[in-house]
Amino acid sequence: MNGRAENCWELLKKSVFSLKVWVKNTSLTPLGYACINGDLETVKVLIEYGAKKGTAVGLERMPPLLLAIANKHFDLVKYFVEELKVRLVSKDKFKWTPLIIAVMNGFVDIASYLLQRGAAWDLADSSGNTPL
């Protein structure tokens, strides 16, 4: 376990902070912040202590899976999809799906993985755009 995950675990164990508290000067929860930074060990600790895997955070209202994809953290993407069984149709406020975000950012490896795991290639966002 890395230092951040250990500290997080100790603070949660002692009820020093809440999983719903926003990280100072951001619109992120601790889980959202860990997803953006690609900290898999801290994400696991937060999930173990009850952080909601599908709760949208940030100004774009992105669920944690979408934050992991947007920041190209493939290990987190695999964790959410394979271990937590997060559905591949989650969307943000623009109705961007995991596949749309991967394609928009040119993350071919993540897009290919999502397609192999059954991501819908024909779901449109709020502007009518699909990943194709």
Side-chain angles (χ1 to χ4, degrees), residues 35-105:
C35 287
I36 285 173
N37 288 298
D39 191 343
L40 178 59
E41 292 303 316
T42 299
V43 166
K44 287 180 177 181
V45 168
L46 292 166
I47 293 291
E48 179 183 333
Y49 272 86
K52 304 296 184 208
K53 63 185 177 186
T55 301
V57 298
L59 298 175
E60 292 81 21
R61 307 300 304 149
M62 287 183 137
L65 172 62
L66 273 60
L67 289 171
I69 293 168
N71 290 281
K72 201 174 183 182
H73 297 303
F74 204 171
D75 57 339
L76 279 177
V77 173
K78 288 181 178 179
Y79 173 70
F80 281 113
V81 173
E82 295 174 19
E83 293 186 40
L84 298 180
K85 309 295 185 207
V86 172
R87 295 179 56 216
L88 296 177
V89 294
S90 56
K91 298 178 181 183
D92 68 359
K93 75 176 188 178
F94 302 110
K95 295 188 178 177
W96 290 346
T97 64
L99 186 57
I100 287 174
I101 290 174
V103 169
M104 278 186 352
N105 287 293

Side-chain angles (χ1 to χ4, degrees), residues 9-18:
W9 184 78
E10 285 296 326
L11 290 170
L12 286 166
K13 189 169 71 172
K14 295 175 182 173
S15 300
V16 174
F17 75 86
S18 166

Side-chain angles (χ1 to χ4, degrees), residues 105-122:
N105 287 293
F107 302 153
V108 176
D109 52 348
I110 295 176
S112 176
Y113 170 78
L114 294 171
L115 286 167
Q116 289 172 10
R117 301 296 294 195
W121 54 268
D122 57 348

